[in-house]
Each structure stands twice: as C-alpha cells, then as structure tokens.
Amino acid sequence: MAREFTSVGVVGLGTMGAGIVEVFARKGIDVVAVEISEAALERGRTTLTGSTDRAVAKGKLAAVDRDALLSRVHFQVGLDALHSVDLVIEAVPEHLDLKQRIFAELDRVCKPEAILATNTSSLSVTEISVATTRPNQVIGIHFFNPAPVMRLVEVVRTVVTSADVVADVEALCERLGKVDVTISDRAGFIANALLFGYLNHAVSMFESRYATREDIDAAMKLGCGLPMGPLALMDLIGLDTAYEILDTMYRRGGRDRRHAPVPLIKQMVTAGLLGRKSGRGFYTYERPGSPVVVPDEQTPVASESALADGARGIAKVGVVGSGTMATGIIEVFAKAGYEVVSVTRGAEKSAKVFESVKTSLNKGVVRGKLSEADRDAALGRINWSATLEHLADVDLVVEAVVEELSVKKALFASLDEICKPGVVLATTTSSLPVIDVAMATQRPADVVGLHFFNPAPIMPLIEVVQTIRTSTETTATAKAVCATLGKTGVVCGDRSGFIVNALLFPYLNDAVKMLEASYSTADDIDYAMKLGCGYPMGPFELLDVVGLDVSLAIQRELYLELREPGFAPAPLLEHLVTAGYLGRKSGRGFRDHTRR
C-alpha cells in the first residue's frame, strides 16, 4: 500500500519550483514553499499567482479553485519550515555543491521517514544523496517545464534507493495525473540525454554558418513536425541552463564529444545572451521574458520579387522518375500552374504514374481541397513521355530516380547534352553528395539539390542544397520555385543528411543505443520524448515508420562522412535489419505490427 502524502515541501521558487508547487496544490496537497530570502519568496509568489491567474483567464481554472489552490501554499523563508512535511522536492539551480549543502541541511531538518527528492535534470542523484545519512530515501523526481502542463515525470532511482520509496513516488505521480517513467541514475536521464545532443548539433550547424537560424528551425518544425525549432528551444530553456546540462552530460556520460558544449554557447552565456529570459539569445525578443521575436541584424530581408535576387523565370518543368516521390512532385508542380513533362522508362510506367497522380488529385476533390476544374486543369498541364529528349526546352529538371550515384551521374550527363543553356538541374537525393552529381555535367553552377519530403503534395518543406559550385542565381531560382509551390525552402550546404536527416537520425540512433544498453524500454523512451518534449512520435515509433533499413543507410552515410564515433550505427539497429525486421513494411521492427 503506497503511503499517503498530505504535505510536501518545495525548495526554490523559480519558474520550475513555482510550477511544481502549483502541480501539488492543484491536487489538494498542502505545500510549504521555501526560498532563501523574502525577496526571492515574493518573486516565487508572483510567479505562482501569475500562472494561476492566466489559467483562470483562459477558462482552465475556476476562480474559486484558484483561491483554494493558493490557500494550500504556505510561503516560508528557510529550510527549518520543512520539519513536518512527508516529501521535499528541491528545485534550485544546477550546481552540485549547492544541492549537496541543501540535502545535508534537509537531512538534519526533516523527519526521519520523509522522502528527499531532487528535480535535477542532469546532475547525479547518487552524488546528491550521499550528502545525507539516508541515501535510500533520496530519489530524483524530474518534472518538465512548464510543470503544470507537461505530463511527463522522470523518476530517477539510485542503486540504493529503497523499492518502497520508488513505489510511493510512482503512485504519487499517478495521483498528480502525470505519466512517470522510472529509470536509473544516468547522465541526462532519458529526455535530456536524447534532446541535448540534438540541440548541440544544431548550434554547431549555426556556428559554422551551414544554415541560418531561421532555416534550421523551420527545417525541424516542418520536416519533423516538432513544436519548436532547436535554436528557439535553446532560447526557451536558457543558454546558461543548456550549457550546464551539456557540460554535466559530457563529464558524466563518457566524454562524448557531441555533448561537449559548442564554443558559441559559452561565448553567448558570457556575453549575457541567455535567450528569452535576457531578451536575446539566438533570436532577439521584445523584452526580457517575452516570447515575441523581433527583427534584428540577422533577420533575412525579403526582396520585392524573386527576380530581384537573380532568380530565373521558370514556366516548364521536367520530372524524371516513376516512384512515389516523382509522382508526388509531378502533382505538386502541376497544381501550382507549371507545365510539366513527366519522363519515365517506358509507356507502361508512364501509365502507372498517370493513374497515381489522377487518383491523388481525385482524393483532393473528394476531401474538398480541390475543385474538379482545378483537377482537370492540373492533369491537362502534364505531358507524358518515355524519352529524355522531350526535356530539351524545359526551364527546370527535377530528378527523382533511384538512390544510386552511378545512375544519377549517368542521367545528369545525358541531361547536360539534351537541355538548353540556363536550365536548372535539380536532384531530389536525400543522402548522396550533390556535388558528385553536378560534376557529371559541364554546368555544375546550374545544379542544385531540391530535397522534397514524402508525401510531397502534403509536406511543406523543401531543402535547397547548394554545392560549392552552385551559382547564387541557381539557388535564388530554387528558392523562388519553392515559394511558388507554396513550400518553405531552406538553404543549406552539401553535407551528408543536409539539415533534417543530419539532426534527426543521430537522435534516433542514440535512442537505439539507450534501448540496447537496457537503460529503459522502447515504450518509456517513446513516452519520454512525446510527453516531455512534445514530439509527435517517439523515436521507436518513427523508426518503424521510416524503415530500419532506410535509417541504417542514412546513419552509415553520416558516420562515413563525419567520422564522428558517436554517429556509428547502433549494433542493435544493424542486427534487426540483418534479421529482416525493417519496421511496419515488414510487419516487425522494434514492435510487432502483425498483431495490430
């Protein structure tokens, strides 16, 4: 039988601490809220009342319930006020010596049976616990910000935490309406261990000027469905907090270079550019604490017209290929008003592509997203061909054939001979070097990557990949075409994975390594990323959808190009692919899909 917690203490009333106070008080539990001084106490009280007042204004909390909630909170200065509580949660800044001093004092003040918990997001719970004479009663209870909203709680047990203490805290999480995942004491736990390597990598991209902050953030939001881009998220978390977490993970997690904070982060922290809370980080905000981004010297200036950027006029487009991606791209261009020449290997394949495009357009009509007249007009703009010579007068060619470099190079060599001067030649490759394709022609300045995402008619993102030989006019033309298609074009350099895959797949690979090490279950890791970080899918759900073979191939490409040891494909991923467990398409991957 789990113990009943009637009163809890919260030490530290910053944003996180005040949020934890609200979580408990909302559930009818008396809270002793403690700070170091009257001024700090008043700031905490203001944070709590501001949060509950906003909930009332939004209709999410009745005024009478707010008043009852606030009446359960007892604000006090000093740890002595916690002498009779059943549970204490510490939520002070991420400094080990500070937390150890507080826990030593709590050990002295609190009653013998009280549970002592830390909300640390990165420090060792074990190292904190040894500051007490009761390490078996010390546990990590890691809430996520904002605590009243986020459903996930990571329950972190040490090697000496009592099983009864773990069970009591798990039952408490359920009472609070939270989803808990119970894990061992490891750097970053689940969510931060997977999240911060990705954030650090994104900062590295920005620091090296591989892509702009806007394009990096747009790529991950539109390409992966994430609630925020990585740089905007860093600003929200606070660059000082992010630095401390990364530095701790680097020191505690085997000194993986991917967790060594990118130098730019330390420089920005030193300069006081901490993110939203200081009014400036990667972006500039209306005022300190405001979520409203305002233009600054890095904000891109939109030209009056694409032609002003040197973009060439595009009226007629050729699409080479007959697979799913080629079919979707044909539909996208035709609906946008372009005349399209579809080239496949033979009349039979052309007929199949025609049927696929027609079926997709008909679905749009049935769903009310397209009129019959627009459908007929789109189909009328497409010319079907089985010969490359029909591309002689197009303005843009988009290649969407098989992902084999030799095939693409041969195709581009042929296009070089057939197409008129000034035509833009684009490849949709998601993993191969664009420069290798470009150098198969005598016009590498006219070659660019246009990486559409599947399904092309729905996904709003296109990665515009420029090589060191791509001209500014070609890049401008590609961006203008993306805009005409109603897509967001993000510009990046010709590196393996471009933006999205380069940031996404190492994160997925890290999740596989975490499972492989028996640190947590696939379900708990998926819960952690969906509930703790707001991801639309957990890593193992996504891997099964993408295909484990596809994921392994991309991860291998990243490792071969970057030679970063942390990017080496997880052995478990390789073994599953070898065994034929490829995900949904084979019926089994990390989960068995034949039973659903």
Side-chain angles (χ1 to χ4, degrees):
M1 189 73 178
R3 82 167 79 179
E4 184 73 17
F5 294 93
T6 58
S7 63
V8 302
V10 177
V11 180
L13 302 179
T15 303
M16 182 57 76
I20 294 170
V21 169
E22 182 178 340
V23 168
F24 282 101
R26 274 177 178 260
K27 294 298 179 179
I29 300 172
D30 288 336
V31 184
V32 179
V34 173
E35 258 295 358
I36 195 171
S37 66
E38 287 290 349
L41 201 68
E42 188 55 37
R43 287 194 295 271
R45 192 196 309 268
T46 300
T47 300
L48 177 61
T49 54
S51 175
T52 53
D53 286 347
R54 285 193 297 274
V56 171
K58 293 176 181 177
K60 296 182 177 180
L61 186 68
V64 65
D65 291 333
R66 173 200 57 197
D67 297 341
L69 181 162
L70 295 174
S71 71
R72 297 185 193 105
V73 183
H74 310 282
F75 292 92
Q76 300 288 336
V77 173
L79 298 177
D80 286 337
L82 302 170
H83 60 88
S84 63
V85 299
D86 303 315
L87 165 71
V88 178
I89 299 181
E90 161 274 311
V92 303
E94 290 282 271
H95 301 295
L96 181 61
D97 57 344
L98 172 61
K99 291 180 187 283
Q100 286 179 326
R101 289 199 304 272
I102 287 173
F103 270 73
E105 186 65 12
L106 291 173
D107 189 36
R108 181 190 67 79
V109 168
C110 295
K111 59 188 183 184
E113 65 272 22
I115 294 174
L116 308 181
T118 174
N119 182 60
T120 182
S121 59
S122 61
L123 296 174
S124 168
V125 179
T126 305
E127 290 185 44
I128 293 169
S129 74
V130 296
T132 75
T133 60
R134 53 175 113 176
N136 61 314
Q137 289 171 235
V138 177
I139 195 168
I141 306 179
H142 179 216
F143 288 82
F144 286 74
N145 192 29
V149 176
M150 300 299 284
R151 292 179 58 210
L152 180 72
V153 175
E154 290 177 321
V155 177
V156 186
R157 59 173 178 245
T158 73
V159 290
V160 296
T161 304
S162 163
D164 289 342
V165 169
V166 174
D168 290 341
V169 170
E170 288 174 337
L172 176 62
C173 289
E174 185 176 355
R175 178 181 171 189
L176 295 174
K178 302 294 186 182
V179 175
D180 71 274
V181 293
T182 300
I183 47 180
S184 300
D185 185 19
R186 165 176 158 171
F189 313 136
I190 295 177
N192 282 352
L194 296 179
L195 176 67
F196 275 86
Y198 150 73
L199 295 178
N200 204 38
H201 191 181
V203 176
S204 176
M205 278 188 177
F206 175 69
E207 182 186 50
S208 66
R209 300 185 181 180
Y210 176 67
T212 67
R213 61 188 182 183
E214 287 85 2
D215 281 358
I216 292 169
D217 279 354
M220 298 313 290
K221 285 173 64 180
L222 301 177
C224 298
L226 302 186
M228 296 183 76
L231 302 180
L233 180 56
M234 287 282 280
D235 276 358
L236 176 62
I237 292 168
L239 272 69
D240 51 344
T241 302
Y243 179 84
E244 291 293 339
I245 292 172
L246 282 165
D247 189 52
T248 301
M249 286 175 58
Y250 174 71
R251 288 184 285 105
R252 286 188 61 208
R255 299 190 177 271
D256 185 335
R257 287 187 306 180
R258 292 174 309 134
H259 293 146
V262 171
L264 178 62
I265 301 175
K266 182 65 179 291
Q267 293 163 16
M268 292 176 72
V269 171
T270 304
L273 307 178
L274 307 182
R276 285 191 189 182
K277 59 187 170 188
S278 68
R280 183 158 185 181
F282 290 103
Y283 296 90
T284 301
Y285 298 88
E286 198 171 43
R287 61 182 179 278
S290 171
V292 180
V293 175
V294 296
D296 58 20
E297 65 276 6
Q298 294 186 53
T299 303
V301 179
S303 299
E304 289 296 320
S305 72
L307 294 177
D309 292 329
R312 304 167 195 166
I314 303 292
K316 192 172 184 179
V317 178
V319 180
V320 183
S322 57
T324 303
M325 185 57 77
T327 302
I329 293 170
I330 292 166
E331 179 183 338
V332 167
F333 276 103
K335 284 197 297 189
Y338 289 96
E339 184 180 350
V340 181
V341 179
S342 167
V343 178
T344 63
R345 289 189 302 173
E348 187 177 338
K349 286 189 179 293
S350 284
K352 286 183 178 179
V353 175
F354 169 75
E355 287 301 325
S356 296
V357 172
K358 185 177 179 181
T359 299
S360 181
L361 290 170
N362 283 336
K363 286 180 181 176
V365 173
V366 170
R367 292 170 182 165
K369 296 182 177 180
L370 195 69
S371 69
E372 291 186 7
D374 288 340
R375 173 200 61 195
D376 296 341
L379 285 171
R381 295 187 192 103
I382 306 170
N383 301 293
W384 307 96
S385 173
T387 176
L388 292 175
E389 278 69 23
H390 287 148
L391 300 174
D393 64 340
V394 300
D395 306 307
L396 164 68
V397 178
V398 181
E399 164 273 310
V401 301
V402 64
E403 281 284 273
E404 289 183 17
L405 187 57
S406 59
V407 175
K408 291 181 186 287
K409 288 174 71 173
L411 172 60
F412 271 72
S414 298
L415 293 174
D416 189 32
E417 294 178 0
I418 293 167
C419 295
K420 66 186 181 183
V423 66
V424 173
L425 304 178
T427 173
T428 62
T429 183
S430 61
S431 59
L432 298 173
V434 178
I435 189 64
D436 283 2
V437 177
M439 295 309 291
T441 75
Q442 299 300 310
R443 50 174 112 182
D446 295 331
V447 178
V448 70
L450 280 180
H451 179 215
F452 288 77
F453 287 73
N454 195 29
I458 296 172
M459 295 297 283
L461 180 71
I462 300 175
E463 288 176 319
V464 177
V465 186
Q466 54 185 2
T467 75
I468 56 174
R469 295 289 298 270
T470 304
S471 70
T472 56
E473 292 82 3
T474 299
T475 300
T477 304
K479 280 213 70 174
V481 167
C482 293
T484 307
L485 295 176
K487 309 284 188 183
T488 297
V490 297
V491 179
C492 61
D494 183 22
R495 277 192 346 211
S496 185
F498 311 139
I499 297 175
V500 173
N501 286 351
L503 292 177
L504 175 65
F505 282 89
Y507 147 75
L508 297 176
N509 195 50
D510 284 346
V512 179
K513 290 178 180 177
M514 189 177 279
L515 178 67
E516 189 174 47
S518 301
Y519 178 63
S520 190
T521 66
D523 285 345
D524 278 357
I525 294 170
D526 277 355
Y527 283 139
M529 299 314 293
K530 288 195 292 184
L531 301 179
C533 300
Y535 282 25
M537 300 178 79
F540 297 105
E541 288 179 274
L542 184 55
L543 281 160
D544 276 1
V545 169
V546 170
L548 275 63
D549 51 341
V550 173
S551 303
L552 177 59
I554 292 172
Q555 193 62 37
R556 281 175 174 164
E557 289 290 335
L558 290 170
Y559 177 57
L560 286 171
E561 179 167 311
L562 301 174
R563 303 303 170 107
E564 169 59 59
F567 284 177
L572 176 59
L573 183 60
E574 295 192 336
H575 295 167
L576 288 168
V577 172
T578 301
Y581 293 170
L582 308 182
R584 286 189 182 178
K585 60 187 173 187
S586 69
R588 183 165 179 180
F590 286 98
R591 294 185 175 89
D592 187 347
H593 299 278
T594 60
R595 300 177 184 175
R596 302 185 180 193

